[in-house]
Amino acid sequence: MKWPSLRPIQEEAIHAILKSNADVLISAATAAGKTEAAFLPILSEVHENPTPSVQAMYVGPLKALINDQFGRLEDLCQRAEIDVHRWHGDVDAGKKNRLMEKPSGVLLITPESIESLMINRNTRLPSVFRGLKYVVIDEIHALIGNVRGTHLRSLLFRLRRYVEHDFRIVGLSATLGNAFSDYAEWMRPDRDREVSLISAKDEGKQLLYKIHAYTISKPDAHTSCSADESYKSTGAMPQDMFRHFSGHKNLIFANRKSDVEWFADELNSQCRAKNLPEEFLVHHGSLSKEIREYTEQEMQKERPRTTVCSSTLELGIDIGNVRSVGQVDPPYSVNSLVQRLGRSGRKKGEPQRMRLYIREEDVDEQSELTDRLHLDLLQAIALSELLLSRPRWVEPPRLVSWDLSTLTQQILSTLAETGGCQAGVIFERLCRRGGFRSMPPNVFSELLRGLGKRQIIEQMSQGDLILAPDGEKVVGHYSFYSAFQAPIEFNVIAGSETIGRLPVESLPQVNDHLLLAGRRWQVVAIDDEQKVILVRSSPGKAPPRFLPNGGDIHERVRQKMREVLLASSPVSYLDSTASRLLQNARNAAAFSDIAKGSIVALSPNKILWFTWTGTRTQRALMLIAEVLKLRPVDHHVALELACSQTEATEKFSAYAKSTPNAIQLAEELPFKHINKFDYLVDDTLLVQGLARDYLDLDGALWLIETIS
DNA sequence: GACCTGCTGCGGGGTG
């Protein structure tokens, strides 16, 4: 390959893989040569001991990533005469059939396609995977701690049945943080193999970092101004963004797809006003594949281009050398801030550049206390402080203990794989020796009974369980293969071009204006049958609507926000507005005694309880306050309660003394169906899972103790 | 208060 030398992580990986029997985790920035680090030793071994079977399997979270890696691995493998195959939804059936008939070499695949193999190609599995020695999991941080990771882990355990000798796992990631043990636990719950860690040294890159703040006037409650109106009052922010980013190659991340569209349009309007070519592109998950690929290709060229994007460009898709990264509004985790920052300054000697843009409401003495604390700015500073701290802290993955939705999917899949099976055998494969180790046998039986009651599965006279006709329908539909829930969407089409998709729950009306793919449209017609929205070009503009879908914020981030608020030292990377707003927030905090106690009385019958805690604990507190009939309002870092301080303290203490239990509390949740297959599970079981994974009662009780 | 991801088999029509 004409490389002058190997990188240190590549040399280390060769030793770890060839000279030991351990599983391996490789942690290094994107484009640091992780794929080669894993595959150089693996391919050497495959080359020396060829067998008529797939010998190494690469699992990637994105089709685009698999396509990228396919090219690179083909280059490496050609000379060694090792076959490389890819398998995902866009690969044609002929190629798939050929692999099934003559399995060999390296297979690149998605978790969902492994699921489809289990169901549709089960008779071929022994010959295809008999000689499997290595499973390489790319971007492993994107899979651990969510249902997709639980799914993949279960599939890998199921696959072991077809493998002659147990395979080793090599995980690749750019942000492991200090959570090595969580990853090791995920990979080897039985600790039957060592897991060794190989991580690239911090290169000590120069970092240019700035937070810009803007005040926008609060939408007037009396004129009931729509959410769209607030977009119009962002003031000097788009102009500054244009000055900071035009003429170079950059990425600007926004938290919402509607913001991506809005800011791309604002920035391109400025190009037009200045008679410059439009240089701002868009990238997010509701755009058509063609438009996303166009943006990815444009970013690889030399021309100055800035892409406004959602988290789609956080993962390893190759988008060339990015000069600086922008971020509109504070992100939600240190993890994602690290990933985003890491997209800039990849060239040797280039600094990393990050600009955060924070929108804060204009406030005065009369404004609500929570508004006067400028919580978005505080969150941005808190995340920045955690990002800049050494050693750096990032959120550890949360290993979900009772994913009943994905277990249900795996039960149905096992029945399809085997054509019928004893309950005990399923329990053995999926739970006792599978991915769902913490599942007690009695809960598993109850889950099966629930599926029987719903006529999804049935028991034959000899005792074997099989799929009932309704179960066959669930498994037979192509949407079965993924463990995660996806919304129903309408395609947006202009002429013969598919632009993107919009969720059925928030469709526009005919004649409405719409921004999508960085262009302005008007809706011509909506076809409910075909699920199609026809649009044509039009000068009017309105941001598109997508579904809100809140995620979790870690408690450490909220604690850091409190620390920043109660400190008095200046923060070095703020612009003048941000400094002024931080000082105002600190003054408001001092004036309202937030430092002294966590409860602030707003009126005789209204208090704010500052909890500064993570989403799971806050959720539990909200539910408890509901149960206590305190009419709570969630301000994220605080609870607003309709009572006096004495009443709140008394009621919460009494609750804490009543030996509360998490399951009873979970029963109070208004919506219990969170994940894809929850509709096949009895509520009595779901609340047990929710009590473990969705609410943090212990954290809530601990906070209650601090106020009583 | 948010973002992202994935999947099949078949019929119809065009091309070599």
Side-chain angles (χ1 to χ4, degrees):
Chain A
M1 310 300 290
K2 295 182 183 162
W3 295 349
S5 65
L6 292 177
R7 306 239 174 107
I9 53 156
Q10 294 169 336
E11 289 193 16
E12 267 188 74
I14 290 173
H15 287 284
I17 291 172
L18 293 183
K19 300 215 170 129
S20 87
N21 198 30
D23 284 349
V24 181
L25 259 173
I26 304 177
S27 164
T30 333
K34 288 194 294 286
T35 318
E36 288 78 6
F39 273 99
L40 287 175
I42 291 175
L43 294 174
S44 304
E45 207 176 307
V46 170
H47 176 71
E48 278 162 35
N49 311 296
T51 59
S53 146
V54 167
Q55 288 172 280
M57 178 168 80
Y58 163 103
V59 185
L62 304 175
K63 291 188 283 193
L65 198 56
I66 287 178
N67 294 342
D68 267 8
Q69 303 283 27
F70 180 72
R72 290 166 69 185
L73 281 175
E74 263 199 325
D75 280 351
L76 282 177
C77 287
Q78 237 168 17
R79 272 155 273 209
E81 295 181 335
I82 296 169
D83 296 329
V84 185
H85 314 271
R86 64 185 144 164
W87 188 304
H88 57 62
D90 297 344
V91 174
D92 62 61
K95 292 220 170 82
K96 292 176 177 172
N97 292 333
R98 253 168 281 154
L99 174 67
M100 288 297 108
E101 277 149 31
K102 268 192 71 183
S104 65
V106 182
L107 171 64
L108 281 62
I109 194 165
T110 59
E112 289 71 20
S113 283
I114 304 178
E115 180 65 65
S116 82
L117 288 178
M118 291 284 184
I119 291 168
N120 302 311
R121 315 271 183 166
N122 51 60
T123 57
R124 289 284 179 183
L125 293 174
S127 70
V128 173
F129 289 112
R130 181 176 298 134
L132 184 67
K133 291 197 194 96
Y134 292 98
V135 172
V136 178
I137 306 174
D138 202 1
E139 306 278 5
I140 192 168
H141 62 274
L143 292 167
I144 291 188
N146 60 45
V147 288
R148 217 174 165 205
T150 308
H151 184 200
L152 174 60
R153 190 169 179 241
S154 175
L155 290 168
L156 293 182
F157 277 111
R158 288 169 64 191
L159 209 57
R160 290 198 164 98
R161 203 157 70 82
Y162 298 105
V163 174
E164 207 167 22
H165 305 289
D166 194 11
F167 50 77
R168 293 163 66 187
I169 300 178
V170 181
L172 312 179
S173 174
T175 38
L176 277 187
N178 23 23
F180 172 70
S181 58
D182 293 309
Y183 284 80
E185 163 74 18
W186 189 90
M187 288 159 77
R188 285 287 160 190
D190 297 326
R191 298 187 173 77
D192 53 338
R193 230 190 254 281
E194 291 277 302
V195 181
S196 45
L197 173 66
I198 295 174
S199 51
K201 300 228 161 31
D202 197 351
E203 288 171 70
K205 273 200 174 292
Q206 191 194 355
L207 177 62
L208 303 175
Y209 200 92
K210 186 124 192 174
I211 294 182
H212 304 263
Y214 299 83
T215 52
I216 58 172
S217 43
K218 188 175 178 150
D220 192 345
H222 299 293
T223 56
S224 70
C225 118
S226 74
D228 298 354
E229 294 293 311
S230 68
Y231 278 97
K232 290 178 185 158
S233 53
T234 41
M237 186 168 144
Q239 279 98 311
D240 285 356
M241 288 169 81
F242 180 84
R243 269 197 299 117
H244 296 150
F245 289 103
S246 78
H248 299 281
K249 217 145 70 156
N250 311 288
L251 286 179
I252 300 175
F253 289 93
N255 293 341
R256 289 174 227 149
K257 291 182 275 194
S258 49
D259 280 339
V260 169
E261 294 289 349
W262 181 264
F263 283 100
D265 186 81
E266 285 276 303
L267 291 163
N268 277 329
S269 301
Q270 298 197 41
C271 295
R272 289 194 297 273
K274 293 179 170 68
N275 262 329
L276 296 166
E278 297 184 6
E279 59 183 80
F280 293 89
L281 301 166
V282 286
H283 198 286
H284 60 73
S286 294
L287 297 176
S288 68
K289 191 177 145 198
E290 292 73 24
I291 287 172
R292 282 194 274 171
E293 281 171 357
Y294 170 78
T295 299
E296 289 160 30
Q297 283 158 16
E298 285 295 304
M299 287 300 284
Q300 306 233 14
K301 297 180 186 163
E302 287 302 306
R303 271 186 66 188
R305 287 295 211 183
T306 294
T307 295
V308 190
C309 59
S310 67
S311 54
T312 37
L313 290 183
E314 236 179 61
L315 285 183
I317 302 173
D318 188 8
I319 38 142
N321 276 311
V322 168
R323 183 171 187 268
S324 48
V325 173
Q327 164 74 42
V328 179
D329 296 340
Y332 297 95
S333 69
V334 184
N335 240 315
S336 113
L337 190 57
V338 171
Q339 293 276 350
R340 291 174 182 192
L341 175 64
R343 303 246 64 171
S344 81
R346 301 252 288 268
K347 258 199 200 151
K348 232 183 153 82
E350 272 274 304
Q352 294 188 311
R353 295 183 170 89
M354 167 70 86
R355 291 180 192 274
L356 285 122
Y357 297 87
I358 306 300
R359 296 178 275 185
E360 282 290 351
E361 271 169 24
D362 233 349
V363 292
D364 55 35
E365 300 286 298
Q366 309 305 314
S367 305
E368 300 276 346
L369 178 56
T370 44
D371 290 337
R372 281 157 58 207
L373 296 179
H374 298 307
L375 295 170
D376 273 358
L377 177 63
L378 280 186
Q379 186 171 320
I381 298 173
L383 288 165
S384 304
E385 291 292 306
L386 292 166
L387 173 94
L388 299 169
S389 65
R390 289 293 177 274
R392 175 183 288 162
W393 175 88
V394 303
E395 294 82 2
R398 253 190 62 73
L399 302 180
V400 173
S401 58
W402 270 30
D403 184 344
L404 294 166
S405 163
T406 307
L407 177 55
T408 299
Q409 180 212 32
Q410 292 298 288
I411 291 170
L412 301 184
S413 167
T414 304
L415 291 178
E417 177 197 351
T418 53
C421 204
Q422 295 276 338
V425 175
I426 308 178
F427 182 75
E428 183 76 12
R429 284 191 198 164
L430 295 182
C431 302
R432 220 167 73 79
R433 292 176 187 282
F436 301 87
R437 306 263 159 150
S438 57
M439 190 54 48
N442 60 324
V443 176
F444 182 79
S445 313
E446 225 176 297
L447 195 61
L448 290 183
R449 273 197 292 278
L451 290 170
K453 202 175 61 196
R454 286 179 177 75
Q455 302 189 356
I456 298 296
I457 63 175
E458 57 196 2
Q459 193 159 30
M460 298 202 296
S461 49
Q462 318 91 300
D464 272 15
L465 298 176
I466 57 164
L467 289 172
D470 281 353
E472 298 269 10
K473 256 186 238 163
V474 173
V475 177
H477 194 264
Y478 63 80
S479 62
F480 177 77
Y481 305 102
S482 70
F484 55 85
Q485 182 86 273
I488 299 171
E489 291 172 320
F490 278 41
N491 279 323
V492 181
I493 294 176
S496 60
E497 189 190 8
T498 303
I499 313 295
R501 299 180 295 271
L502 290 173
V504 63
E505 284 91 340
S506 63
L507 289 184
Q509 312 259 312
V510 173
N511 292 331
D512 277 1
H513 294 280
L514 178 70
L515 285 170
L516 197 61
R519 284 176 276 167
R520 300 177 180 188
W521 310 100
Q522 186 172 22
V523 176
V524 177
I526 298 178
D527 183 340
D528 291 305
E529 271 300 293
Q530 302 283 314
K531 296 201 171 68
V532 159
I533 302 168
L534 293 175
V535 297
R536 63 159 174 253
S537 284
S538 149
K541 63 183 231 173
R545 289 194 306 268
F546 297 94
L547 299 181
N549 178 14
D552 286 0
I553 290 191
H554 195 278
E555 165 179 16
R556 178 88 186 257
V557 176
R558 297 256 164 83
Q559 282 291 315
K560 191 54 119 179
M561 287 170 69
R562 178 176 184 272
E563 263 176 53
V564 171
L565 182 67
L566 299 183
S568 54
S569 48
V571 176
S572 60
Y573 43 84
L574 304 184
D575 77 349
S576 57
T577 309
S579 295
R580 178 171 57 82
L581 294 181
L582 175 61
Q583 195 48 55
N584 291 350
R586 284 172 169 174
N587 293 345
F591 191 73
S592 61
D593 292 339
I594 288 177
K596 287 186 196 145
S598 49
I599 293 185
V600 175
L602 298 175
S603 71
N605 263 316
K606 196 161 131 188
I607 59 167
L608 271 179
W609 175 12
F610 283 88
T611 54
W612 304 106
T613 189
T615 313
R616 288 173 59 246
T617 305
Q618 184 81 352
R619 225 181 251 140
L621 286 171
M622 279 293 291
L623 267 185
I624 294 170
E626 286 285 356
V627 171
L628 299 176
K629 304 209 179 339
L630 298 175
R631 286 180 282 146
V633 180
D634 190 2
H635 291 280
H636 310 299
V637 302
L639 290 180
E640 185 183 312
L641 302 170
C643 64
S644 67
Q645 175 160 2
T646 333
E647 192 186 349
T649 322
E650 279 171 10
K651 282 194 167 171
F652 275 108
S653 320
Y655 178 84
K657 288 199 188 85
S658 69
T659 58
N661 103 30
I663 295 175
Q664 278 172 8
L665 192 60
E667 280 165 2
E668 302 291 332
L669 283 165
F671 306 103
K672 297 182 180 70
H673 294 188
I674 310 268
N675 290 316
K676 185 173 176 183
F677 296 98
D678 282 348
Y679 75 102
L680 297 175
V681 183
D682 290 343
D683 276 5
T684 51
L685 288 181
L686 286 179
V687 292
Q688 297 184 52
L690 290 166
R692 286 162 166 263
D693 296 315
Y694 194 66
L695 300 172
D696 177 10
L697 177 60
D698 290 340
L701 292 176
W702 186 83
L703 274 175
I704 288 173
E705 210 167 292
T706 64
I707 58 160
S708 11

